[in-house]
Amino acid sequence: MNADQNTDLLDRALRDVLHAWTPLGPGAPADIAEHIVRRRRRRNLVRVTGAALGLAGITLGAVIATGAGADNGAQPPAAQVSKQSKLLWQTTLPAKSWDACTLGAETGDVYCRGVAYDNIGVDARSGRVEWQRKSKDSHGGSTPSGSMPGVRDGVLYTYADHAPGAPRAGTDLVALDVHSRQVLWKHELADDSRGRTSAVPFDGGILANAPTFKSVVALDGTTGRTLWTYTWKKADCDRAVIGGVPYLTCSPDSEKSPQQSTVVRLDPATGTPRTVATVNGPTVYIGTDGDTVLLGGMTGGQKFVSDPGPATLTRVDTRSNSVTTHHLDGLPTGVVADGLILGTDRRGNAVAYSADSGKPQWSRSLGLTLRKANDPMMRELPSAAAVDLTSRVAYYLDPSGHLVGLDLDSGAVRWRGQVPLPKSPIEAGIAPELMNYGHSLIGQVGGELFRITPQLPHAS
């Protein structure tokens, strides 16, 4: 199977999932799948340890992960709400559409990429655009980035079109020196997805999709030299890193394959595999909770992961190899942070689930401004949670520039803020991006990038 065929399969599978997903109810418009597949300008809605919704080797951001969504009826305790903040800077980027951004802790910069620019570097202290690299063809059949692999040891790992201008441009993993801004190496990916598991840095290199299917390759982070490869059969696998060690979480790729899922540890030096655990049935990779891999399964005969119905949350401890499974009324998905899975329900409420049991811990209306498109069933989406573990606050951003901070333990509102943004058309199904930078937040909405510091109320 070539890259063009794989992209077609990716589009078809994405359409299948989206056709089954209804943002606000069963009356959602039938063309929402085409709308999102055509745009496919997705945000990386996965921060902290991250979580995404995978199906048949595809990783979908939390923008379409509605989760179980049951409001447990518990009201968070009353708390003082601050509306004080400090807008440190706001910058208009040289394009209106951006796929994903990442922070460089070593450099103090924000890096973004989009359809018109392969990369742009912004000083996180001042908001000044320091450099930019235009894409070679902004009108080709390029795949948007759901995320960027990140920055390490002075190298920015990002994505670019393999064949700019081609109907199916393909994808290269690109290593860029952040000081000289020169490309160090490129590596072609067989899988044209650019999600959070397409390439992951580990201690000793970066693990990426290989140029051939059902295979991964470990690359030297500076030179791009192949360190080792690992191949498999009859499964689709996501990549993960725990404690600097690369892992694969694999699920059967068809009904004809053995109906078992596996968690496989790959030796960082040699790639030698060791099966940590085997789980009955297909599963989706939710994320990691410390040294534990979180897998979700559908047990009610659902065709798609977005379908309501009974589910399981399976925890695989990579230290002890122990496996525990919890039976639930729905599949919890979202950002994994400090023992919680932070998602949203079908009504737009923030919901915190226990990463240990999958049980809802609290549910809270975000109170954000989410405009509706011409069809009332389609509306804008908030960002995924950006979690400050020191202050124990989960922050959310809407496309109009409104922000809210919820107490991580109770769901109580602790802060509300707003950044003035230019008026923009409604883009249903597209979410802004929000990232932590110290105790401040860096947000991206369309072509606007800003940094704001919430001033939280003192604990009573």
Side-chain angles (χ1 to χ4, degrees):
M1 183 183 295
N2 60 33
D4 290 352
Q5 291 172 313
N6 181 65
T7 305
D8 289 337
L9 290 174
L10 179 64
D11 284 349
R12 287 200 296 271
L14 180 57
R15 286 187 183 95
D16 287 343
V17 175
L18 292 173
H19 277 308
W21 171 66
T22 54
L24 295 176
D31 65 348
I32 185 172
E34 292 301 325
H35 172 80
I36 296 182
V37 169
R38 280 198 307 270
R39 286 278 284 124
R40 291 179 75 185
R41 307 260 62 102
R42 303 299 304 278
R43 303 291 178 251
N44 173 21
L45 301 186
V46 185
R47 294 299 175 198
V48 194
T49 57
L53 192 60
L55 178 65
I58 303 165
T59 301
L60 303 177
V63 60
I64 62 171
T66 53
D71 190 335
N72 61 11
Q75 294 296 320
Q80 181 183 359
V81 179
S82 169
K83 295 185 178 180
Q84 302 299 313
S85 60
K86 184 177 182 180
L87 182 62
L88 300 176
W89 51 259
Q90 184 173 349
T91 298
T92 299
L93 300 175
K96 294 182 179 179
S97 178
W98 297 86
D99 291 344
C101 298
T102 190
L103 296 173
E106 307 166 4
T107 61
D109 283 354
V110 188
Y111 304 97
C112 301
R113 77 163 315 278
V115 64
Y117 289 83
D118 282 341
N119 289 111
I120 189 169
V122 179
D123 188 323
R125 293 167 289 267
S126 66
R128 185 179 74 253
V129 176
E130 296 188 316
W131 60 275
Q132 51 194 273
R133 295 173 60 90
K134 287 188 176 182
S135 61
K136 293 183 178 179
D137 189 303
S138 60
H139 303 289
S142 95
T143 298
S145 296
S147 69
M148 297 173 67
V151 181
R152 189 175 64 179
D153 299 330
V155 179
L156 169 65
Y157 300 103
T158 181
Y159 300 109
D161 290 349
H162 176 71
R168 297 296 185 183
T171 296
D172 282 339
L173 172 66
V174 179
L176 193 71
D177 187 288
V178 296
H179 302 294
S180 68
R181 291 139 198 184
Q182 297 299 309
V183 173
L184 299 175
W185 52 264
K186 296 181 180 180
H187 166 77
E188 184 181 3
L189 305 180
D191 187 342
D192 199 29
S193 64
R194 304 178 182 183
R196 68 182 181 107
T197 73
S198 298
V200 290
F202 67 93
D203 289 351
I206 182 165
L207 187 70
N209 292 331
T212 55
F213 291 96
K214 300 190 184 304
S215 180
V216 291
V217 57
L219 305 169
D220 182 275
T222 303
T223 67
R225 178 175 61 89
T226 297
L227 304 175
W228 47 262
T229 60
Y230 174 70
T231 60
W232 63 88
K233 297 180 180 179
K234 299 182 179 181
D236 289 310
C237 301
D238 286 320
R239 283 137 295 279
V241 173
I242 299 176
V245 176
Y247 286 81
L248 295 177
T249 63
C250 301
S251 183
D253 61 359
S254 73
E255 294 181 355
K256 297 180 180 180
S257 301
Q259 296 302 293
Q260 291 181 327
S261 297
T262 57
V263 176
V264 180
R265 181 189 188 274
L266 301 176
D267 186 277
T270 65
T272 302
R274 177 175 65 83
T275 299
V276 175
T278 300
V279 179
N280 290 331
T283 59
V284 294
Y285 172 58
I286 297 174
T288 57
D289 179 27
D291 293 321
T292 299
V293 174
L294 303 180
L295 303 174
M298 287 69 70
T299 59
Q302 301 98 313
K303 188 175 181 180
F304 303 109
V305 291
S306 56
D307 291 343
T312 58
L313 173 68
T314 297
R315 293 173 55 87
V316 177
D317 190 317
T318 59
R319 295 168 301 179
S320 64
N321 298 355
S322 65
V323 178
T324 56
T325 298
H326 302 273
H327 296 273
L328 308 169
D329 293 331
L331 184 65
T333 58
V335 175
V336 184
D338 196 31
L340 292 174
I341 304 172
L342 301 172
T344 55
D345 65 18
R346 292 180 180 269
R347 290 167 288 182
N349 298 322
V351 183
Y353 307 90
S354 167
D356 183 61
S357 66
K359 300 291 180 63
Q361 303 300 294
W362 51 259
S363 175
R364 180 72 170 182
S365 171
L366 292 171
L368 296 176
T369 302
L370 299 173
R371 300 173 296 173
K372 294 180 180 179
N374 292 333
D375 190 304
M377 302 308 295
M378 294 184 66
R379 68 177 181 191
E380 296 175 322
L381 297 170
S383 71
V387 181
D388 182 343
L389 290 177
T390 302
S391 301
R392 301 198 64 74
V393 176
Y395 294 98
Y396 301 82
L397 166 68
D398 72 21
S400 299
H402 296 86
L403 299 109
V404 64
L406 303 183
D407 188 274
L408 196 58
D409 300 304
S410 68
V413 176
R414 294 182 59 185
W415 172 76
R416 289 193 181 276
Q418 182 178 5
V419 174
L421 298 177
K423 291 185 178 180
S424 61
I426 299 173
E427 292 185 305
I430 305 299
E433 187 165 21
L434 194 62
M435 300 165 283
N436 284 105
Y437 187 84
H439 289 298
S440 64
L441 300 167
I442 292 180
Q444 178 262 319
V445 180
E448 296 293 310
L449 191 71
F450 63 84
R451 181 180 172 190
I452 188 171
T453 300
Q455 295 181 6
L456 298 173
H458 296 293
S460 56

